[in-house]
mmCIF file of all heavy atoms in Angstrom:
data_model
loop_
_atom_site.group_PDB
_atom_site.id
_atom_site.type_symbol
_atom_site.label_atom_id
_atom_site.label_comp_id
_atom_site.label_asym_id
_atom_site.label_seq_id
_atom_site.Cartn_x
_atom_site.Cartn_y
_atom_site.Cartn_z
ATOM 1 N N ALA A 78 -0.922 -3.105 -11.674
ATOM 2 C CA ALA A 78 0.081 -3.409 -10.516
ATOM 3 C C ALA A 78 0.334 -2.203 -9.756
ATOM 4 O O ALA A 78 0.437 -1.130 -10.191
ATOM 5 C CB ALA A 78 1.419 -3.936 -11.140
ATOM 6 N N LEU A 79 0.509 -2.464 -8.481
ATOM 7 C CA LEU A 79 0.868 -1.496 -7.369
ATOM 8 C C LEU A 79 2.135 -1.823 -6.758
ATOM 9 O O LEU A 79 2.400 -3.152 -6.554
ATOM 10 C CB LEU A 79 -0.278 -1.373 -6.319
ATOM 11 C CG LEU A 79 -0.148 -0.413 -5.250
ATOM 12 C CD1 LEU A 79 -0.392 1.046 -5.770
ATOM 13 C CD2 LEU A 79 -1.062 -0.766 -4.119
ATOM 14 N N TYR A 80 2.963 -0.852 -6.401
ATOM 15 C CA TYR A 80 4.202 -1.179 -5.872
ATOM 16 C C TYR A 80 4.512 -0.226 -4.621
ATOM 17 O O TYR A 80 3.919 0.833 -4.527
ATOM 18 C CB TYR A 80 5.360 -0.804 -6.922
ATOM 19 C CG TYR A 80 5.190 -1.610 -8.287
ATOM 20 C CD1 TYR A 80 4.639 -0.862 -9.359
ATOM 21 C CD2 TYR A 80 5.537 -2.938 -8.372
ATOM 22 C CE1 TYR A 80 4.480 -1.551 -10.526
ATOM 23 C CE2 TYR A 80 5.287 -3.490 -9.552
ATOM 24 C CZ TYR A 80 4.819 -2.875 -10.644
ATOM 25 O OH TYR A 80 4.676 -3.506 -11.826
ATOM 26 N N LEU A 81 5.375 -0.714 -3.794
ATOM 27 C CA LEU A 81 5.890 0.027 -2.646
ATOM 28 C C LEU A 81 7.398 -0.137 -2.605
ATOM 29 O O LEU A 81 7.743 -1.326 -2.180
ATOM 30 C CB LEU A 81 5.207 -0.282 -1.413
ATOM 31 C CG LEU A 81 5.576 0.614 -0.194
ATOM 32 C CD1 LEU A 81 5.002 2.005 -0.404
ATOM 33 C CD2 LEU A 81 5.099 0.015 1.147
ATOM 34 N N ARG A 82 8.199 0.795 -2.917
ATOM 35 C CA ARG A 82 9.638 0.735 -2.807
ATOM 36 C C ARG A 82 9.925 1.245 -1.368
ATOM 37 O O ARG A 82 9.597 2.386 -0.987
ATOM 38 C CB ARG A 82 10.298 1.632 -3.841
ATOM 39 C CG ARG A 82 11.811 1.652 -3.572
ATOM 40 C CD ARG A 82 12.487 0.359 -3.842
ATOM 41 N NE ARG A 82 13.987 0.474 -3.764
ATOM 42 C CZ ARG A 82 14.793 -0.569 -3.867
ATOM 43 N NH1 ARG A 82 14.316 -1.737 -4.050
ATOM 44 N NH2 ARG A 82 16.125 -0.232 -3.804
ATOM 45 N N MET A 83 10.692 0.379 -0.571
ATOM 46 C CA MET A 83 11.000 0.822 0.802
ATOM 47 C C MET A 83 12.508 0.837 0.930
ATOM 48 O O MET A 83 13.177 -0.200 0.826
ATOM 49 C CB MET A 83 10.472 -0.311 1.730
ATOM 50 C CG MET A 83 8.907 -0.458 1.523
ATOM 51 S SD MET A 83 8.209 -1.562 2.766
ATOM 52 C CE MET A 83 9.020 -3.165 2.303
ATOM 53 N N ASN A 84 13.046 1.992 1.137
ATOM 54 C CA ASN A 84 14.519 2.179 1.424
ATOM 55 C C ASN A 84 14.723 2.571 2.918
ATOM 56 O O ASN A 84 13.835 2.898 3.598
ATOM 57 C CB ASN A 84 14.960 3.286 0.502
ATOM 58 C CG ASN A 84 14.904 3.003 -0.905
ATOM 59 O OD1 ASN A 84 15.013 1.816 -1.333
ATOM 60 N ND2 ASN A 84 14.720 4.007 -1.744
ATOM 61 N N SER A 85 15.992 2.398 3.295
ATOM 62 C CA SER A 85 16.365 2.821 4.661
ATOM 63 C C SER A 85 15.485 2.239 5.656
ATOM 64 O O SER A 85 14.979 2.857 6.631
ATOM 65 C CB SER A 85 16.367 4.344 4.711
ATOM 66 O OG SER A 85 17.167 4.914 3.835
ATOM 67 N N LEU A 86 15.251 0.941 5.547
ATOM 68 C CA LEU A 86 14.370 0.247 6.460
ATOM 69 C C LEU A 86 14.794 0.224 7.834
ATOM 70 O O LEU A 86 16.018 0.281 8.119
ATOM 71 C CB LEU A 86 14.173 -1.174 5.928
ATOM 72 C CG LEU A 86 13.276 -1.357 4.675
ATOM 73 C CD1 LEU A 86 13.440 -2.828 4.077
ATOM 74 C CD2 LEU A 86 11.758 -1.194 5.055
ATOM 75 N N LYS A 87 13.835 0.337 8.775
ATOM 76 C CA LYS A 87 14.022 0.341 10.238
ATOM 77 C C LYS A 87 13.327 -0.875 10.862
ATOM 78 O O LYS A 87 12.314 -1.361 10.323
ATOM 79 C CB LYS A 87 13.593 1.621 10.770
ATOM 80 C CG LYS A 87 14.122 2.906 10.145
ATOM 81 C CD LYS A 87 13.387 4.148 10.768
ATOM 82 C CE LYS A 87 14.082 5.380 10.136
ATOM 83 N NZ LYS A 87 13.417 6.669 10.695
ATOM 84 N N PRO A 88 13.872 -1.282 12.006
ATOM 85 C CA PRO A 88 13.176 -2.394 12.696
ATOM 86 C C PRO A 88 11.755 -2.070 12.889
ATOM 87 O O PRO A 88 10.774 -2.996 12.867
ATOM 88 C CB PRO A 88 13.929 -2.466 14.035
ATOM 89 C CG PRO A 88 15.267 -2.086 13.640
ATOM 90 C CD PRO A 88 15.159 -0.914 12.650
ATOM 91 N N GLU A 89 11.332 -0.793 13.066
ATOM 92 C CA GLU A 89 9.939 -0.477 13.358
ATOM 93 C C GLU A 89 9.103 -0.604 12.115
ATOM 94 O O GLU A 89 7.823 -0.372 12.167
ATOM 95 C CB GLU A 89 9.802 0.916 13.946
ATOM 96 C CG GLU A 89 10.547 2.013 13.236
ATOM 97 C CD GLU A 89 11.949 2.305 13.834
ATOM 98 O OE1 GLU A 89 12.648 1.290 14.141
ATOM 99 O OE2 GLU A 89 12.256 3.481 13.943
ATOM 100 N N ASP A 90 9.703 -0.819 10.965
ATOM 101 C CA ASP A 90 8.920 -1.064 9.734
ATOM 102 C C ASP A 90 8.409 -2.527 9.674
ATOM 103 O O ASP A 90 7.630 -2.924 8.769
ATOM 104 C CB ASP A 90 9.761 -0.801 8.500
ATOM 105 C CG ASP A 90 10.085 0.700 8.329
ATOM 106 O OD1 ASP A 90 9.207 1.541 8.640
ATOM 107 O OD2 ASP A 90 11.238 0.940 8.003
ATOM 108 N N THR A 91 8.881 -3.416 10.561
ATOM 109 C CA THR A 91 8.526 -4.779 10.645
ATOM 110 C C THR A 91 6.929 -4.958 10.832
ATOM 111 O O THR A 91 6.432 -4.329 11.745
ATOM 112 C CB THR A 91 9.173 -5.484 11.690
ATOM 113 O OG1 THR A 91 10.559 -5.588 11.434
ATOM 114 C CG2 THR A 91 8.686 -6.949 11.881
ATOM 115 N N ALA A 92 6.261 -5.593 9.803
ATOM 116 C CA ALA A 92 4.865 -5.728 9.846
ATOM 117 C C ALA A 92 4.464 -6.582 8.705
ATOM 118 O O ALA A 92 5.210 -6.910 7.796
ATOM 119 C CB ALA A 92 4.205 -4.291 9.801
#
Side-chain angles (χ1 to χ4, degrees):
L79 181 72
Y80 306 101
L81 185 68
R82 175 65 176 178
M83 305 185 294
N84 296 328
S85 303
L86 283 163
K87 303 176 180 180
E89 51 263 44
D90 295 319
T91 295

